[in-house]
Amino acid sequence: MSDKRIHSALISVFYKEGLEDIVRMLHKLDVKIYSTGGTFNFINELGIPAEKVEDLTTYPSILGGRVKTLHPSVFGGILARRENSEDLAQLEKYKIPEIDLVIVDLYPFEETLKTVDIEEEIIEKIDIGGISLIRAAAKNYNDVLIVSGTDQYSDFLKLLEEKKGFTSVTERRHYATKAFQTSSHYDTAIFKYFNRQSDIPAFRESINSSYPLRYGENPHQKGIFYGDPGQIFDKLHGKEISYNNLVDLDAALNLIDEFTLPTFVIIKHTNACGVASRGNAMDAWKDALACDPVSAFGGVIVTNVPVDEKTADEINKLFFEIIIAPGFSEPALTILKQKKNRIILVRKETISNDYIFRSLLNGVLWQQKDNSTELAPDMKPVTPRTPRPHEINDLIFANIIVKHSKSNAIVLAKNNQLCASGIGQTSRVDSLKQAIEKARTFGFDLKGAVMASDAYFPFGDCVEIAHNAGITAVIQPGGSIRDNESIDYCSSNDMAMVFTGIRHFRH
């Protein structure tokens, strides 16, 4: 199929930025322009002739601008199939001109949602004519080219300049694909707005921005991140961020956001291998690293305080993939940039998603995000001895970490420091034994430490093992038909145990 020349264009846009060069090029190529309202005025002020759509339809813009282009004289000229004699005969009969190019954008519905909470104003930003023009022109890509957003202006102008107003069906189909991307994204945003009240069980997500990755979880897998990581952090240094880096960053940021004291977290394969909260950055870093300096090698480091020179000097002694913090002093950056591949990120925003989803089987699994963090008032004592004040602090600390650990998960903590965790085991007893062994390997004295479990203990064996290791207080959801076994053992051995009623499975 040979290239087709653009003879006429319909232009109706909300945003005028970048439009002038296109209009001037169309005029230079002797393209007849039809336009509406503010766009017509914009083109007229450039000294370029254009015809009002109202003159074409013989109807003015009505209903406060709600109806402008919705007319057979417009849509007939867009949808007519140029190689269909009956279509062409009808155009001639009703004196409808062919329209070969449509440039249109949409009312800023998503942008309005960010700043307006008055429904009447939001509803008025639901585009009707624009979305209809986009779909019509895209449907008839064999004959019509559709430019459906300002992000396409640069490429389209280049196409006009290079091909002097001619386009191929391949090019028109490409722009049609972009048009349906625009329309589907727009409709998804509107549906999600309305569905906040209706709660129709239908899955809809649309993300237009993408971040190409070197590969997926493994080098033989392709990977793309759909979203804008630039909203979350600024990259100051290092190699390209990988799929696994992003997964670990998500785990790291979700965990660090639970803490208010100066805290360092070290993540390895989405699990914390080092966590400590202290009065300053240096002490927090040293104690976080002490949890498991072996696993920390090649990990992801996150903190909720700016990194100073002395702390950076200590951190620099470790090989790690990424560090992300609210800020870095200039001397700290100089130190940390000594490794060219080391990724250094400055945190910008907190993660605010209220839900998470994943693809599996032949669909998508959706759930609310686990935003429950149990504090002292949420703890129900079930033993004669209640936790002492320092134990309560450690129980909160340990329970936060276990919430963000792979099940089955056990966390041992003392003095706002992770001693060890047992994660991802098929048996809760195995998780506990793993944690105890690791804590002892790195020289931790578990006497007076606390234990957190992401789910209930099915038998009394775990609290017995913990007691023999020196654990004095336990936090768990409770809910086992054998809870009394654990309660009775703790009660008989001066251990404090509290139930939260909240399970934190993480698969």
Side-chain angles (χ1 to χ4, degrees), residues 461-479:
D461 47 5
C462 281
V463 292
E464 181 177 354
I465 294 169
H467 172 249
N468 291 332
I471 303 298
T472 58
V474 179
I475 184 170
Q476 60 140 320

Side-chain angles (χ1 to χ4, degrees), residues 4 34 54 57 149 158 186 208 249 290 302 337 375 389 394 435 497:
K4 292 190 175 185
Y34 300 93
E54 292 94 321
T57 64
K158 188 181 300 183
Y186 196 75
N208 280 331
L249 277 169
V302 60
K337 286 181 177 180
L375 304 176
D394 283 341
M497 184 159 66

Side-chain angles (χ1 to χ4, degrees), residues 417-430:
Q417 181 184 25
L418 173 65
C419 298
S421 59
I423 49 178
Q425 301 301 305
T426 54
S427 161
R428 198 158 298 279
V429 170
D430 288 343

Side-chain angles (χ1 to χ4, degrees), residues 4-11 22-35 43 48-51 98-103 145 156 160 163-167:
K4 292 190 175 185
R5 187 180 185 280
I6 298 171
H7 295 281
S8 59
L10 170 63
I11 306 177
I22 291 175
V23 171
R24 292 193 183 282
M25 179 55 64
L26 291 173
H27 178 59
K28 182 178 179 181
L29 295 171
D30 199 28
V31 174
K32 182 176 180 60
I33 298 174
Y34 300 93
S35 192
I43 295 171
I48 293 173
E51 183 174 331
E98 296 178 5
I99 297 175
D100 307 314
L101 167 67
V102 175
I103 302 177
L145 190 142
F156 175 61
L160 286 177
K163 299 189 69 174
K164 309 301 181 186
F166 285 85
T167 64

Side-chain angles (χ1 to χ4, degrees), residues 388-445:
R388 301 178 178 96
H390 73 276
E391 289 176 323
I392 291 176
N393 289 336
D394 283 341
L395 289 171
I396 295 171
F397 180 88
N399 200 49
I400 287 172
I401 299 171
V402 85
K403 167 185 167 181
H404 293 272
S405 302
K406 295 291 184 182
S407 301
N408 288 315
I410 294 288
V411 165
L412 307 179
K414 185 177 180 181
N415 298 329
N416 278 347
Q417 181 184 25
L418 173 65
C419 298
S421 59
I423 49 178
Q425 301 301 305
T426 54
S427 161
R428 198 158 298 279
V429 170
D430 288 343
S431 293
L432 175 56
K433 289 179 177 179
Q434 180 191 66
I436 293 171
E437 180 182 355
K438 180 169 281 192
R440 288 171 175 167
T441 297
F442 295 110
F444 283 96
D445 179 6

